Amino acid sequence: MKNMILIGFMGTGKTTIGKLLAERLGYQLIDTDELIVQKAGKAISAIFAEDGEPVFRDLEHTVLRGLLGEQKKVIATGGGIVLRQENRELLKQIGRVVLLEADPEAIISRLKDDNSRPLLQGTNEEKIKKLNDILAVRHPLYEKTADQVIDTTGMTVGEVVEKIVSSI
């Protein structure tokens, strides 16, 4: 079996679901954001602040390209990985792509204690507006790339994993 790749916006459960899915399938979990941090030698927030988003996106592409040829991996990706056409093509080559979705209120609730994300600053209304603006750009790209779409709103991690496994 090829790799399983989880895409979607932050807070949809990619890393959490990825851990359980990898365990269930007997695969290794790979988090592209962790690989980027290792490669850059600094936090993602520092990459954005010091080097800018284009440098981060270049690192993201390099890391993704490095996963070609891997097998039996569950790959949790960063939310913006689909912004580049070449990344969308690579994702499809690397494995089966599962889009995890959640409604904005669920995302904000799941990430309420995470102060490291610039998007999550401000009132709930401001957060929801920012989220919807970003999703307006990314959602069509997510859907174009995905082999399967799962709305994780109101689902447990186990239920999402079962849904993915039963569809293989």
Side-chain angles (χ1 to χ4, degrees):
M1 150 93 49
K2 287 176 81 171
N3 305 301
M4 299 296 296
I5 303 166
L6 304 177
I7 65 170
F9 199 71
M10 66 177 163
T12 57
K14 297 181 303 285
T15 301
T16 304
I17 290 163
K19 288 176 186 173
L20 187 59
L21 181 61
E23 183 180 303
R24 175 80 191 277
L25 295 174
Y27 284 16
Q28 177 188 357
L29 175 67
I30 294 176
D31 186 314
T32 59
D33 283 349
E34 287 179 11
L35 294 178
I36 291 166
V37 168
Q38 290 171 8
K39 188 169 191 60
K42 55 185 161 184
I44 290 173
S45 57
I47 299 168
F48 270 83
E50 297 167 16
D51 307 314
E53 184 175 357
V55 170
F56 173 80
R57 297 295 171 203
D58 288 344
L59 286 165
E60 185 174 58
H61 177 71
T62 300
V63 161
L64 186 60
R65 197 175 55 238
L67 296 175
L68 275 169
E70 291 286 344
Q71 292 198 10
K72 294 190 174 186
K73 305 288 189 275
V74 171
I75 302 166
T77 64
I81 202 160
V82 296
L83 293 172
R84 288 191 176 177
Q85 172 66 32
E86 61 264 29
N87 287 351
R88 295 191 301 273
E89 292 168 6
L90 279 172
L91 289 165
K92 299 290 258 177
Q93 291 173 38
I94 293 168
R96 185 172 197 281
V97 182
V98 179
L99 167 59
L100 301 178
E101 298 181 315
D103 64 45
E105 293 81 7
I107 290 170
I108 289 168
S109 174
R110 291 173 185 174
L111 300 174
K112 68 181 177 291
D113 297 327
D114 186 344
N115 296 321
S116 68
R117 302 185 192 248
L119 175 67
L120 298 179
Q121 309 308 312
T123 66
N124 265 7
E125 293 78 26
E126 291 169 332
K127 293 174 191 176
I128 289 172
K129 182 184 178 340
K130 289 178 198 174
L131 237 157
N132 284 327
D133 289 347
I134 294 170
L135 284 174
V137 172
R138 291 184 185 176
H139 195 264
L141 303 175
Y142 288 144
E143 286 197 321
K144 191 182 297 187
T145 308
D147 297 305
Q148 179 181 12
V149 180
I150 299 174
D151 185 343
T152 65
T153 307
M155 293 180 75
T156 67
V157 173
E159 289 170 338
V160 176
V161 168
E162 282 307 312
K163 194 165 190 171
I164 295 169
V165 170
S166 68
S167 71
I168 300 174

